[in-house]
Structure formats: C-alpha cells, structure tokens
Amino acid sequence: THNFGYGYYEIKVKLYGGSKELAGLHQSFWSMGLTGTNEAEGKGVRDHLVTTGVIPKENRVLEIDGFEHNSLNNKLAQNYHIYTPTHKSKAPIPESTNRDLSNWITIAYEWLPDRINFYCDGKYISTKHLDGIWTVYAPQNLWLTALPVNVAAWGGLQKPSKNAAMQVDYVRFYAKVLSGVNRIGNPGFDYGQAKNTYPIAWIVDKQKDSNAANVTTGGISSKSGTGCLLFKSDKSYKTSVRQTIEFIPDGDYTFSAMVKSSGGQKHASIIIKTGNKEQSVRLKESSDWVKVVIPKVVV
C-alpha cells in the first residue's frame, strides 16, 4: 500500500529449489507499481485502496527484480522492465548470480536516477544503466512473492512439494540523499499507453468530477515532453489530482510546476501539504506557460 522510490533495498532470504526435482515455486524480491489488469495482484484490495484514494488507479511504470528465482537451478536473475508506452525488458550484464540455496543469502539493489546496482552477500554483482527509453521514474510498490506457477520457464514443470517455503529474515529500505533530483513520479505527464488518458502515478479524486482531469498529448503545446495534465469539462466541475511522496530524506525541498490557464474558474490552485502545514498558490489566467514555485517545503 506504499510506494518506494530511489534508494537501497535489501533482503536476507533462504530460498526453496535449486534442482529440477524441487521445481515449481517462483520466488522474487522486486519493485513494480500496481495496475488494474491483473487479478493476481489482489484486485479486491487494490480496488478498495483506489476508491479510498490511497493509491493511484494506474502506477505501473517500471519493474526492478532484485532477484527472480525460477527454482530450476541456483541462478538468481536480475531484470529491469519498463511499461510505458509498451512493455520492454533488459537485464544487466551479468544478468544472474549463482549461490548455494541451502544457505541464507543477502540480495540488494540500489536504485539511482541513472543506474541500478545489484549486490549479493555484500559484494557488487552488476549494473543496469538507465538511459534513453529506460529513463522513467515513479515510486513503486515493493513485493515479496513465492508463487506456484505452471509456466515451464519459471520452474513450473511440477507442483512444489508441501514443505516448499521462501524464508525471509528481514527487508530493509534506505532512502538516499540526491540533491536536485525530482522525486515526483511521472512529473511531465508523459507516461502512458495508447488511449489511456489517466495520469499514471497520480491519484485522481473520485469524490469529485474525475472525468474532468485527463492527460492530453495533442491540441495543446506542451512545455516539455509529449503530454500535459488538462482540467476541462463541458459543464461546471470540481476536480483534483494529487500525489503522495513517501520515504524521502528530511530536508528543504522546492516545488515547481509549469502552468497555463484560460481563467474563469472560481478557484484554481496548487497545494503542498507536509504534516500539519499547508502551502498553496492561486493560479492566474495566462495564455503562456508560467512557472509556479513553492519554496522551502520542509520534510
């Protein structure tokens, strides 16, 4: 129910499998945002969290596999996926590491703006460099999964034995101080898939006129990228779009946004909330893009 961004992720784990006789359980430690297309992701729970405004309706931007174990061998695979505008994946080099799965092992990944570093038992393993199409960002859900599967490539040639278990000693996350790095997910409203106008990584308030807030990629000249968030309706409306930024280092932050408006609204504003403190800026009519700044946002 929480989203974790840039930082260091670590797990101490004892896995099941390592031979074809023990195949059948797919085990993973990974990051990926939720979307509404998969029943296996606890759709009922997810729908409740969306309805109550806890998480975005759509937040699948990327996937980082700290390890993915298919139970057929002792190899632990590391992978990286992006889901915008289409699903693509590319593993680091080397893409896997061998370990004796009868022992406890420590797996970690360090997610940074330009790379993901992978570690095993305190030693560096590999790096996936993030450039070009691979440079996307939104804080994502953290997953621990042990799944009996019927996919042969995932070790599902047979059912796991009754004593099959993935044992976890601890999971740790450390946010990293990254001066000048944008912590907002999908900050330019550029992520998405064909015909989906929902602002991925953002929460659209369902208690208001949610249809009045959409992402558009045509008809309006964006300040940067390909998309922008558009508030518009053919009737009077109230709507809001927000994002909760969790697990970031304490400090003074600056919020900024590029905005233009036709004017005529009774109320239009940007609001920042930190703890019990609220800072807001009223938006004025402007045919050109104007930079709105809220300085010294204290976290």
Side-chain angles (χ1 to χ4, degrees), residues 272-284:
I272 300 293
K273 294 181 180 180
T274 54
N276 296 323
K277 186 176 181 180
E278 181 176 299
Q279 298 166 269
S280 65
V281 173
R282 295 289 293 265
L283 303 180
K284 300 177 181 180

Side-chain angles (χ1 to χ4, degrees), residues 90-272:
K90 190 174 184 180
I93 300 174
E95 62 182 22
S96 63
T97 182
N98 291 308
R99 280 297 186 275
D100 182 354
L101 300 186
S102 64
N103 297 324
W104 288 92
I105 54 177
T106 301
I107 302 290
Y109 56 96
E110 184 184 22
W111 182 13
L112 301 172
D114 64 342
R115 69 192 65 197
I116 304 166
N117 297 319
F118 296 91
Y119 304 88
C120 185
D121 291 330
K123 296 182 179 180
Y124 167 81
I125 298 295
S126 61
T127 294
K128 172 67 183 83
H129 293 280
L130 306 179
D131 51 18
I133 64 170
W134 308 105
T135 309
V136 296
Y137 177 72
Q140 304 284 272
N141 301 110
L142 179 59
W143 296 82
L144 303 176
T145 51
L147 307 172
V149 293
N150 58 6
V151 180
W154 282 14
L157 298 175
Q158 62 189 52
K159 293 182 180 179
S161 64
K162 291 184 179 180
N163 66 345
M166 182 176 94
Q167 303 174 66
V168 178
D169 184 23
Y170 66 76
V171 177
R172 294 171 179 165
F173 169 75
Y174 298 88
K176 188 174 182 65
V177 176
L178 297 166
S179 179
V181 171
N182 193 353
R183 301 281 181 165
I184 294 176
N186 188 16
F189 303 99
D190 296 326
Y191 306 160
Q193 298 181 353
K195 299 181 180 179
N196 186 350
T197 63
Y198 186 92
I200 289 177
W202 295 81
I203 298 171
V204 180
D205 192 343
K206 283 186 168 292
Q207 306 304 317
K208 299 180 181 179
D209 302 307
S210 57
N211 292 332
N214 292 280
V215 171
T216 179
T217 56
I220 296 177
S221 176
S222 298
K223 182 64 178 179
S224 64
T226 59
C228 65
L229 180 65
L230 178 65
F231 295 94
K232 184 179 180 180
S233 180
D234 58 3
K235 59 183 180 180
S236 296
Y237 66 91
K238 292 182 179 180
T239 191
S240 67
V241 173
R242 59 187 167 86
Q243 186 169 148
T244 302
I245 310 300
E246 302 182 277
F247 311 120
I248 61 176
D250 291 349
D252 291 348
Y253 290 79
T254 298
F255 174 88
S256 65
M258 300 301 297
V259 181
K260 64 179 179 179
S261 173
S262 63
Q265 304 94 348
K266 289 184 179 180
H267 185 89
S269 64
I270 291 177
I271 302 170
I272 300 293

